Amino acid sequence: MKKITKWILTCSCMLLFTACSAKSEPWDKKETYQINDEVAITLKAVVQQTSIEPTNLNDEYQYWYTEEEGETLLDFQFYVENLSDEEIDLKDYFEAELKIKEQEQSKDLCTEIEDYTKIENETKLAAKDKTILHQIFYVKEKSISDDLQAEITLQDAHYTLSAKPYAAKVTELAKAETIELDEMSFEVLSASVGSVIPPLHPTDDSTYYIVEDETNACAGIYLEITNTGKKDMELDQEICVSLDDEGTYIYAWYDILNADGTDFSEATQIPAGESRAVLFFGEVVKPTETKNYTVTITVEGKPYRYVFEHTVQ
C-alpha cells in the first residue's frame, strides 16, 4: 500500500515538473491560432484601465470595473470563433496566468454577449458562433512593469504575451468599398460636415436635419447596408459608429432612409434580403478651416475606419 502511494506521488511530481517546464513561445499578435480545428483565436487588444467597456455602445450596455483604490484592470482581449458544430466551453481551450511577485492573483474570464453589449462571466459559446473573450486580471498599479507577461495556455500549447498596451490594426475603408460579413454587407456612400443634412435623393416633400446652434455643425456619414441574413436586422444591435473630431469622440445616432432614399423614415430595422441607406451623424464644433474627421464603424466586434476631409469654402 505504501509503495503504491509513493509511486502515485512520484508520478504526480513528474507530471508537475513536466507541466512547469513546458516550453513557451512568444504569442504572435498577427496570427490566428486554431485549436483542434474547433476554436480560432486572435489577439484583439491589451488594455490597462479601471473600467472595460464592451464593443457595442449604441444602447444600454454593461461594463466591467474595479472600485479598489490603486488597482487597475489588465485585460487581454481576443476574437474567438467556435468552428465546431457543437456548443463548447472556452475554459476547456484557454487558460491564462499573470506572474506577479508578492501578489495574490485575482482574475475573471469573460465574453461579450447580447450583441457585444455586455461583458459577463460566460464562457460557453454556441456552435459556429463568435465572441470577444476577455481575460481580466486585477492588478495593483504599482505592479505594472514593462516586462510583465501573461502565460497563455491553449490546451497543450504554451505562449507568453506582453502586458504592454496593444490594439490590433483597424481595417481602413475606401469610399464605395464593400465589406462582406456573415449576415451583412456595407459600404460608404458619402460623408460631409454642414449645418443642413439632406436625404440622399431629396424631393420637394423631403425633410432635412438642421443644426439650430450656429456654432455647431453636423458631421455625417451615409452607409449602404444590406441585410444578407434570414431575419430582420435591428440596426442598433448590429453596428456601432463613432466620430473622432480631432480627439473629441462622439457616438453617432442613426436614421434609416426609405427604400428610394428620398426621406428619413422611423424604421429601426432593415428587412431580410434588403438594402437601405443609413445616415450616422453627430454634432461637432463648426470647423473654421480644412480638417479631417475619422469615422469608426464597429460590426461583429471588429472596427473599420473611414477618414474624410472637410474643406471650408
Side-chain angles (χ1 to χ4, degrees):
M1 194 70 174
K2 289 183 179 179
K3 288 183 180 179
I4 295 174
T5 304
K6 185 176 181 180
W7 181 81
I8 292 173
L9 290 172
T10 304
C11 288
S12 298
C13 291
M14 290 175 65
L15 289 171
L16 180 62
F17 177 78
T18 303
C20 292
S21 59
K23 185 178 180 181
S24 296
E25 299 180 4
W27 184 284
D28 188 337
K29 296 178 179 178
K30 297 181 180 179
E31 173 143 354
T32 296
Y33 293 89
Q34 284 200 19
I35 309 169
N36 300 336
D37 294 326
E38 297 170 359
V39 177
I41 181 168
T42 310
L43 182 64
K44 175 181 183 284
V46 180
V47 177
Q48 297 175 18
Q49 296 177 168
T50 55
S51 64
I52 306 296
E53 295 178 332
T55 305
N56 190 343
L57 305 179
N58 269 342
D59 202 351
E60 293 185 5
Y61 62 90
Q62 179 178 303
Y63 61 94
W64 214 261
Y65 66 96
T66 176
E67 294 180 330
E68 293 291 331
E69 186 174 351
E71 186 175 72
T72 189
L73 300 179
L74 182 55
D75 184 19
F76 294 85
Q77 304 175 8
F78 302 86
Y79 295 114
V80 178
E81 181 176 3
N82 180 0
L83 305 174
S84 74
D85 294 322
E86 298 180 356
E87 180 183 80
I88 62 171
D89 193 332
L90 293 173
K91 289 188 293 186
D92 297 334
Y93 298 85
F94 178 94
E95 187 177 358
E97 292 185 4
L98 197 64
K99 301 298 184 181
I100 300 181
K101 294 181 179 179
E102 301 177 355
Q103 183 176 328
E104 184 177 346
Q105 186 170 120
S106 180
K107 61 183 181 180
D108 279 300
L109 188 63
C110 309
T111 58
E112 295 191 12
I113 64 173
E114 296 184 19
D115 302 308
Y116 302 94
T117 61
K118 294 182 179 179
I119 301 175
E120 288 279 11
N121 284 112
E122 175 59 68
T123 57
K124 292 184 178 179
L125 189 61
K128 305 299 183 183
D129 202 2
K130 299 176 181 178
T131 188
I132 294 177
L133 180 71
H134 293 256
Q135 177 61 75
I136 301 174
F137 295 95
Y138 301 81
V139 183
K140 298 296 182 183
E141 291 181 0
K142 61 183 180 181
S143 301
I144 300 291
S145 62
D146 289 341
D147 59 353
L148 185 60
Q149 291 185 326
E151 299 285 341
I152 308 290
T153 300
L154 303 181
Q155 288 197 332
D156 297 328
H158 303 272
Y159 304 90
T160 56
L161 179 55
S162 172
K164 291 182 179 179
Y166 168 81
K169 186 177 180 181
V170 178
T171 303
E172 300 288 345
L173 294 177
K175 187 176 178 181
E177 176 185 7
T178 301
I179 301 297
E180 301 282 353
L181 300 169
D182 289 344
E183 297 184 343
M184 173 198 302
S185 67
F186 71 91
E187 67 176 72
V188 177
L189 298 177
S190 64
S192 62
V193 178
S195 300
V196 178
I197 299 183
L200 278 178
H201 309 297
T203 67
D204 292 341
D205 298 324
S206 297
T207 56
Y208 295 72
Y209 279 106
I210 300 174
V211 181
E212 296 181 359
D213 188 338
E214 294 182 355
T215 64
N216 288 348
C218 268
I221 182 170
Y222 274 110
L223 300 182
E224 179 84 4
I225 299 176
T226 301
N227 179 359
T228 57
K230 296 180 180 180
K231 59 182 181 180
D232 292 350
M233 176 193 299
E234 194 68 53
L235 196 63
D236 63 357
Q237 296 176 4
E238 302 293 338
I239 187 167
C240 179
V241 176
S242 64
L243 304 168
D244 179 4
D245 179 8
E246 295 185 344
T248 300
Y249 291 89
I250 303 163
Y251 284 98
W253 56 95
Y254 71 92
D255 210 322
I256 299 177
L257 273 72
N258 55 18
D260 60 7
T262 59
D263 212 342
F264 301 107
S265 71
E266 296 182 355
T268 61
Q269 296 180 334
I270 299 178
E274 296 188 16
S275 299
R276 292 289 186 275
V278 184
L279 169 67
F280 294 87
F281 65 105
E283 283 198 24
V284 299
V285 176
K286 183 180 291 185
T288 57
E289 58 186 12
T290 298
K291 62 190 299 188
N292 288 336
Y293 292 85
T294 300
V295 180
T296 300
I297 302 161
T298 304
V299 188
E300 295 182 4
K302 295 187 177 182
Y304 301 83
R305 183 164 52 208
Y306 181 75
V307 180
F308 69 96
E309 182 182 77
H310 173 73
T311 303
V312 175
Q313 302 294 331

